[in-house]
């Protein structure tokens, strides 16, 4: 068996160049992968925060006048977002005011946990909650719960690639 020290200089140089090239390729691919995944996650969060802000601004009248039907109709627009599982509007006391569930999926258990404002990842889901404000007073909270299948499929795609 040939030992590295017994190899000709030309073979040693070729091995060094190949190993260096492979190392640089692996490191740069890993850096691109991490950057793209983190950018994708940040984009998904930002997208959901923007949607929650729009819903929050548009929910003021429905919540002020107790029009749950209008609020549910507004939440129904989330059907256009395939990864949104459910959405809730709660009163300032924390009572459920309006809800949206994709395909009849029951998300009652998620409702109580979703009223904490901000965004977080929980049980393989992204939960974004935004206060509904009018004249600086809190009327309630709008919460959006979405799955992470989009992110997982991107990770799988990168792994295959």
């Amino acid at each position: 068996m040939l030992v590295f020290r017994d190899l000709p200089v030309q073979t040693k140089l070729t091995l060094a160049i190949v190993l260096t090239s492979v190392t640089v390729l692996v490191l740069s691919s890993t850096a691109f992968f991490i950057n793209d995944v983190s950018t994708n996650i940040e984009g998904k969060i930002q997208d959901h925060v923007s949607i929650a802000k729009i819903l929050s601004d548009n929910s003021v009248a429905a919540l002020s006048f107790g029009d749950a039907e209008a609020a549910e109709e507004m939440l129904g627009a989330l059907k256009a977002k395939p990864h949104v599982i459910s959405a809730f509007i709660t009163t300032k006391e924390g009572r459920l005011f309006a809800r949206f569930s994709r395909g009849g999926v029951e998300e009652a258990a998620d409702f109580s946990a979703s009223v904490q404002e901000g965004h977080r990842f929980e049980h393989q889901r992204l939960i974004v909650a935004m206060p509904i404000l009018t004249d600086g007073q809190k009327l309630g909270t709008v919460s959006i719960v979405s799955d992470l299948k989009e992110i997982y499929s991107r990770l799988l795609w990168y792994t295959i690639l």
Side-chain angles (χ1 to χ4, degrees):
M1 178 175 190
L2 280 176
V3 182
F4 185 75
R5 66 180 159 84
D6 296 333
L7 292 175
V9 172
Q10 185 177 3
T11 305
K12 290 179 183 178
L13 287 173
T14 303
L15 280 173
I17 291 169
V18 168
L19 287 175
T20 302
S21 298
V22 168
T23 302
V24 168
L25 182 63
V26 167
L27 289 175
S28 62
S29 296
T30 302
F32 281 122
F33 172 77
I34 291 169
N35 179 57
D36 190 67
V37 169
S38 66
T39 302
N40 189 339
I41 291 170
E42 288 173 26
K44 186 169 180 77
I45 291 169
Q46 219 29 51
D47 181 47
H48 281 59
V49 166
S50 297
I51 292 169
K53 177 67 175 141
I54 291 167
L55 289 173
S56 170
D57 291 345
N58 292 333
S59 298
V60 172
L63 204 51
S64 295
F65 295 110
D67 191 354
E69 187 176 310
E72 286 191 1
E73 185 177 318
M74 184 182 48
L75 291 177
L78 291 171
K79 288 178 186 173
K81 291 295 221 178
H83 295 287
V84 172
I85 297 170
S86 58
F88 309 96
I89 295 177
T90 57
T91 63
K92 65 182 172 186
E93 294 83 21
R95 288 189 323 266
L96 181 63
F97 181 72
R99 80 185 296 156
F100 161 78
S101 278
R102 178 162 312 279
V105 176
E106 281 298 316
E107 294 294 330
D110 286 345
F111 150 67
S112 59
S114 67
V115 294
Q116 180 185 353
E117 293 171 12
H119 70 273
R120 65 193 182 284
F121 292 94
E122 200 173 271
H123 306 294
Q124 298 184 359
R125 294 187 174 148
L126 170 61
I127 301 173
V128 175
M130 179 79 58
I132 300 171
L133 303 172
T134 183
D135 298 326
Q137 299 234 345
K138 182 177 176 180
L139 294 177
T141 304
V142 61
S143 304
I144 300 172
V145 180
S146 66
D147 64 31
L148 301 176
K149 289 179 184 174
E150 184 178 16
I151 293 171
Y152 292 149
S153 67
R154 193 169 189 106
L155 288 172
L156 178 64
W157 183 81
Y158 267 113
T159 303
I160 292 170
L161 185 65

